[in-house]
Amino acid sequence: MREHFNKYATPPAHAVVTLHGESRQIYGFTAFPLAAPVGGAGICIFVRPPEDPSAFAPSYWTPLYVCGSHNMGDSGAMPRGILEQARRMGATHVLVHFCDRGDDARHAIAKDLVAALRPPLNAEGRRAAA
């Protein structure tokens, strides 16, 4: 069962993910391996597989960091070192919600998801994880 974790493949049943924001708005995401080149405007969430895949969880993926960007392929769009921190915490994939409705919309979606998911690398948790 853990073999797919080592190969960084996306399990087919977990390639498309829906997440609820704190507002209860539903957002659709597509899972990509971290090494996959993802570009364009949208929201990305660095994730890792669950510690215990058989345990009940609201989502298969454990979120580590949420951000919105006008160009997700631009490494300067994220805080310095965030990808390395996420990898140290076990990140294998990035969930992507493509959104070209402007910076305000992306910021609102990211804020809604951070409030609901409470990823450890956002806000105060980011400093503690360093």
Side-chain angles (χ1 to χ4, degrees):
M1 179 75 177
R2 298 212 30 107
E3 182 177 323
H4 72 277
F5 296 148
N6 296 332
K7 294 184 179 181
Y8 299 99
T10 304
H14 305 289
V16 176
V17 178
T18 57
L19 298 172
H20 289 247
E22 185 174 73
S23 68
R24 303 308 296 158
Q25 176 70 35
I26 298 171
Y27 305 101
F29 286 82
T30 305
F32 295 94
L34 277 182
V38 178
I43 292 84
C44 62
I45 304 175
F46 293 119
V47 295
R48 69 176 176 218
E51 301 281 329
D52 179 6
S54 63
F56 174 78
S59 171
Y60 172 82
W61 300 106
T62 301
L64 300 173
Y65 183 74
V66 176
C67 70
S69 174
H70 67 278
N71 183 4
M72 291 180 286
D74 179 10
S75 60
M78 278 176 245
R80 190 168 168 236
I82 201 72
L83 180 57
E84 292 78 22
Q85 288 179 329
R87 282 190 174 138
R88 280 196 306 267
M89 293 179 73
T92 59
H93 288 75
V94 60
L95 302 181
V96 176
H97 173 82
F98 294 99
C99 175
D100 62 358
R101 292 178 288 154
D103 286 336
D104 290 341
R106 285 187 295 277
H107 178 72
I109 293 169
K111 184 177 177 181
D112 192 24
L113 289 165
V114 167
L117 302 174
R118 296 183 185 92
L121 292 177
N122 285 85
E124 291 81 32
R126 183 170 166 250
R127 285 190 289 279

